[in-house]
Structure formats: structure tokens, C-alpha cells
Amino acid sequence: MGTPYAYFRRQFMPLSEAKIGIMTHALHYGTAVFEGIRGNWNEEERQIYLFRMPEHYRRLRQSCRIMMIDFPYTDEELHSITTRLVELSGFEEDVYVRPLAYKSSEALGVRLHNLEDDFLVFVTPFGPYLDLEKGARCCTSSWRRVEDTGIPARGKITGIYANSALAKTEANLSGFDEAIMLDERGHVSEGSGENVFIVMDGVLVTPPVSDNILVGITRNTVITLAKEELGIETVERPIDRSELYVADECFLTGTAAHLTPVVELDHRPIGDGKRGPITAKLQELYFQVIRGKHPKYAHWCTPCYSRVKA
Ligand code: PMP
């Protein structure tokens, strides 16, 4: 049930009608920035809740600054475009919303200046990305995370995803579910589309924002829930590759991946090779929160369907 819709050139239309020209700058040079926002279906309320939408648009604005993309929309406009889009699509399942701000000129030439910019959003159904219960078998990628001095990872820039795609495909073709990338100094940076956490002696440890990560919204959610609900602190510090091997637990966080246990890295089981107890507790809390079932965090959830509850 439902039809994927797009907001494109300032209009709502079925996704199948939203097309760009083959000379579009962003297609050739990776000159676009994007977000991924999950809309989580709440069966009892027959409602879709967008999770932390304002934070995603805030990060999109930051990415636009880095890539010199003009983004003339107010927060109110963005929020109403997005909720309207989900409502028009009419899905009754988990969805994924993809806003994209991009260099839209049909022009050749590598640069950021003297180009037109545009903005689009679309919505599509989207289930789990990795196995949330069995967890992921990972490898350390032979590809290094792009450095801030190359393409800043704190910007969600389409071009940087060539780095992630190299790592993900290498991992999958070698029989692993996901890749964990090191940065040039050899510190653990992140997965191809996820931040990394370890549990060490009851404390969470995750790489700092200066270790070439995308500063994840799920990362922040987990840090907050761990502290507020479980009294567990998170230390943000550089992590060595071998610390992952000896960690008690390890998990990945991301809008697509939610909170996925890492049960094996480079053929070494992490902990006892199963989802760990702290990971399981955090997952349970997290799923309550994102489906709008935890009143304390209701402010993180934006309902899309305006219809009266049945
Ligand atoms: N790192 C990368 C490279 C990603 O693509 C993502 C997914 N957006 C993340 C981390 C996690 O970020 P978030 O929790 O905001 O989705």
C-alpha cells in the first residue's frame, strides 16, 4: 500500500515522474549533499514518525555550507514539505526519506562556484538494513576513510560515498556483511554507513568527531539514551583496530543500520560472538524511542499522518 512520491522543482509528484537531465553537474562530479531520515511505522497509532528530522536538516545545512550549495528553505518549509510528502505517499510501513541538495546546472567543469543549486526529497519503503539480532560479521577495510583534508567526512557529500562503496563492496564480495574503515593514522573511523561503538568494562567508547566520521544522529541518540536511561557514560577517544578485537561488545549505529551488533571482526568473535547484553538493552530502548513509544523522547518524533486516530 502506498505510492512513492517526490518533492522536485518545488512540486509534489509521483517518484516515477521526477527526472533529471543527464548533464546534471552533481551526477558527474559528486557535488551534492544528502540526508537519510527514517519514518518509523507505529502500528497501534497507524502513524509514521519521522525520527529527529530537524537534526537531519541541520546537518544538511552544514553539508551545504561545506559544498557551497545555496539552500534557501526555512526549517518550517522543510518540515512541512517532508511530512506532506510522507502523507501523500500513504505507506503503512517503515519508510526512508532522502533529501538531496545538489549542483543542478547542466554544465561541464569541475568546480563549486557559478552553478545553480536545487533541492529534492523523495520517500520510499525501507526495512532493516543489517541483521539486528544475529548481528554483522565485519572486516577491517583495506580502504582508508577519506580525511578531512581530502573530502570532509562530517559533510554528507555524495562524492565521498565512492569511498564507502569501495569498502562495502570489498567486504560483501569477501563474504562479510560490513566494512569498518580506519583513517590514515590507523584509528578506527566508521563503517561504510555507520558509526562504531565498543563496550569496554561497562563503558561505551566511540571515535571522536575529529577521526573523520560523519557525526551521526543515531550516535548522539545512543550516547543520550545510554546516559539518561542506563547511566552508562560514553568516552569519545581514538580507538585502535585491535581494541575492537578485545572489546566486550561492539555495535554499529546509523539511520539505516539502526543499532546493529558486530559479532565478528576479521574472523575473530567479539565477546562471545553474539549480541551483547548492553547492546540488546540499548536496542530495545532505541526501538521504543524511534516508533514514538517512549513519552520522554516524543520530541524526537514528528508524526506525518494528520488523520484522526481510528
Ligand atoms: N557514517 C556514515 C558514513 C554514514 O553514511 C551514516 C549514515 N547517515 C552514519 C555514519 C550514521 O549517521 P546517522 O546516524 O546520522 O544516520
Side-chain angles (χ1 to χ4, degrees), residues 119-277:
F119 169 66
L120 60 83
V121 198
F122 65 82
V123 60
T124 184
F126 197 58
Y129 181 66
L130 293 166
D131 194 314
L132 296 160
E133 232 178 271
K134 260 180 42 204
R137 292 180 55 249
C138 297
C139 63
T140 305
S141 184
S142 69
W143 297 98
R144 294 294 169 106
R145 188 67 182 139
V146 174
E147 292 282 311
D148 194 66
T149 47
I151 312 174
R154 69 168 42 74
K156 204 166 165 57
I157 300 163
T158 56
I160 206 172
Y161 279 82
N163 182 230
S164 290
L166 286 164
K168 178 79 179 182
T169 288
E170 179 192 51
N172 286 169
L173 297 187
S174 307
F176 297 98
D177 302 310
E178 187 53 281
I180 292 179
M181 281 184 280
L182 308 178
D183 67 8
E184 289 296 342
R185 288 161 298 176
H187 294 149
V188 173
S189 181
E190 57 184 343
S192 70
E194 307 87 14
N195 294 115
V196 182
F197 284 78
I198 51 176
V199 180
M200 286 278 228
D201 301 324
V203 170
L204 295 180
V205 188
T206 195
V209 298
S210 48
D211 276 359
N212 301 295
I213 63 167
L214 181 76
V215 185
I217 289 158
T218 319
R219 176 182 181 274
N220 174 270
T221 301
V222 165
I223 292 173
T224 307
L225 294 178
K227 187 175 164 70
E228 297 290 318
E229 306 305 318
L230 304 178
I232 296 174
E233 296 292 328
T234 303
V235 181
E236 297 181 47
R237 63 154 177 84
I239 298 178
D240 292 332
R241 171 180 184 166
S242 59
E243 284 187 273
L244 266 50
Y245 296 163
V246 301
D248 300 326
E249 301 178 35
C250 178
F251 59 85
L252 301 170
T253 63
T255 296
H258 293 305
L259 205 156
T260 300
V262 176
V263 293
E264 193 185 303
L265 179 64
D266 302 337
H267 304 286
R268 292 157 178 85
I270 296 182
D272 61 4
K274 297 202 184 80
R275 172 173 63 180

